[in-house]
Amino acid sequence: MVTPLLPKATAVWLVDNTSLSFSQIGDFCGLHSLEVQGIADGEVAIGIVGLDPVANGQVTQEEIDRCQGDPAARLEISKAAGDVPQPRRRGGRYTPVSRRGDRPDAISWLLKFHPELTDAQISKLIGTTKTTISAIREKSHWNSQNIRPRDPVSLGICTQLELDEAVQKSAHRRKDDDRGKLIEEVAAAVAAEAAAVPLTPYEMKKRLVHKEEAYDPRAEAEAVFGKSAPKKVEEKETRVSAAKSFDDLFKSSAKK
């Protein structure tokens, strides 16, 4: 259930300014009715200033009036009229502490697969410094032996939209040779990742079935004992010649 912003402050305002029941206020604010009763008695939320949910657009006055007239009714939070535009960030990007250890891997990935990006663009995407980027590029970083290229989008450091936007701005710096090399490297990386993933029981069974269908015991026997086709041909030729000699003998005896 969606609750209003600052539910206790909202409950304080509703208790002081409306005749809604404790259960109605509790259901709307995500609180227990006894907790709302404690707010009304001055035992809970002491010192909290009430927050008007009508003024900040979380509920309408008509909705409050409707529920005041019907104790069985429940307040419904107002839906947003539209998406709130997100302001564009200025300055360096903030990276959560849990993700900061992944930044060298993300920088290495960008340097490897998108060499057309400038240090300023990488710094803005990853939230790092040009000194760190240069150290990773020159392999003089203190942790170079443990750095492995990983996609910053999969690491949650930047979004795919931000990465695509930066790559599109720098597309004119990429050469045709670099583009072909990039395609080969990406294909090799995808193949390596696919090979590293363990096969499911279904895939293992499928491969076993294909292997059994492709098995040819005759080819294996020929590989071990040698090909038997010439021998069969010789036997056939011997039989044909014997039949011909028998016919000739029969014809000669008939003439006599």
Side-chain angles (χ1 to χ4, degrees), residues 5 31 33 41 47 71 78 89 120 127 136 139 200 205 208 220 228 231 240 252:
L5 184 67
L31 304 173
S33 59
D41 295 338
S78 300
R89 290 184 296 271
I136 295 174
K139 297 185 178 180
T200 62
K205 182 67 175 177
L208 182 61
E220 185 174 352
S228 58
K231 186 176 180 180
V240 171
S252 59

Side-chain angles (χ1 to χ4, degrees), residues 10-235:
T10 302
V12 170
W13 189 91
L14 292 173
V15 168
D16 294 339
N17 297 276
T18 67
S19 60
L20 295 171
S21 64
F22 295 154
S23 60
Q24 287 176 316
I25 297 174
D27 290 342
F28 179 70
C29 299
L31 304 173
H32 196 276
S33 59
L34 294 177
E35 191 173 2
V36 178
Q37 184 177 353
I39 293 174
D41 295 338
E43 299 175 354
V44 180
I46 301 173
I48 294 180
V49 179
L51 178 66
D52 186 358
V54 178
N56 57 28
Q58 296 184 90
V59 70
T60 61
Q61 186 61 46
E62 291 78 7
E63 182 68 12
I64 293 177
D65 294 340
R66 181 183 71 84
C67 293
Q68 287 182 141
D70 183 7
R74 292 292 178 264
L75 281 173
E76 294 183 3
I77 195 166
S78 300
K79 296 181 180 179
D83 295 335
V84 179
Q86 298 294 330
R88 296 187 65 87
R89 290 184 296 271
R90 293 183 179 181
R93 171 190 293 275
Y94 172 77
T95 306
V97 177
S98 60
R99 295 293 184 186
R100 291 179 187 177
D102 298 330
R103 284 190 296 191
D105 294 349
I107 296 171
S108 177
W109 190 92
L110 291 175
L111 292 175
K112 180 178 181 180
F113 294 108
H114 294 287
E116 73 277 9
L117 294 178
T118 63
D119 290 356
Q121 288 176 311
I122 297 175
S123 177
K124 185 178 179 181
L125 278 173
I126 306 300
T128 185
T129 62
K130 294 183 179 180
T131 304
T132 304
I133 298 173
S134 300
I136 295 174
R137 179 186 288 111
E138 298 169 1
K139 297 185 178 180
S140 59
H141 191 270
W142 65 272
N143 197 29
S144 293
Q145 58 183 358
N146 296 322
I147 294 176
R148 58 188 183 91
R150 288 192 292 170
D151 188 356
V153 176
S154 63
L155 293 174
I157 297 178
C158 68
T159 64
Q160 187 64 52
L161 183 63
E162 292 169 340
L163 178 59
D164 292 343
E165 184 179 355
V167 171
Q168 187 176 3
K169 288 181 180 179
S170 303
H172 63 281
R173 300 192 189 97
R174 180 179 289 277
K175 300 177 182 179
D176 293 337
D177 296 340
D178 295 336
R179 186 176 290 105
K181 184 179 179 181
L182 173 62
I183 293 174
E184 294 178 357
E185 290 179 348
V186 170
V190 171
E193 290 181 0
V197 176
L199 295 177
T200 62
Y202 171 76
E203 292 174 344
M204 294 178 63
K205 182 67 175 177
K206 187 176 180 181
R207 288 195 177 186
L208 182 61
V209 170
H210 286 320
K211 187 176 180 180
E212 291 177 351
E213 290 178 352
Y215 173 71
D216 187 0
R218 181 177 299 176
E220 185 174 352
E222 290 178 354
V224 176
F225 301 104
K227 294 184 178 181
S228 58
K231 186 176 180 180
K232 291 183 178 180
V233 172
E234 292 176 0
E235 292 178 355

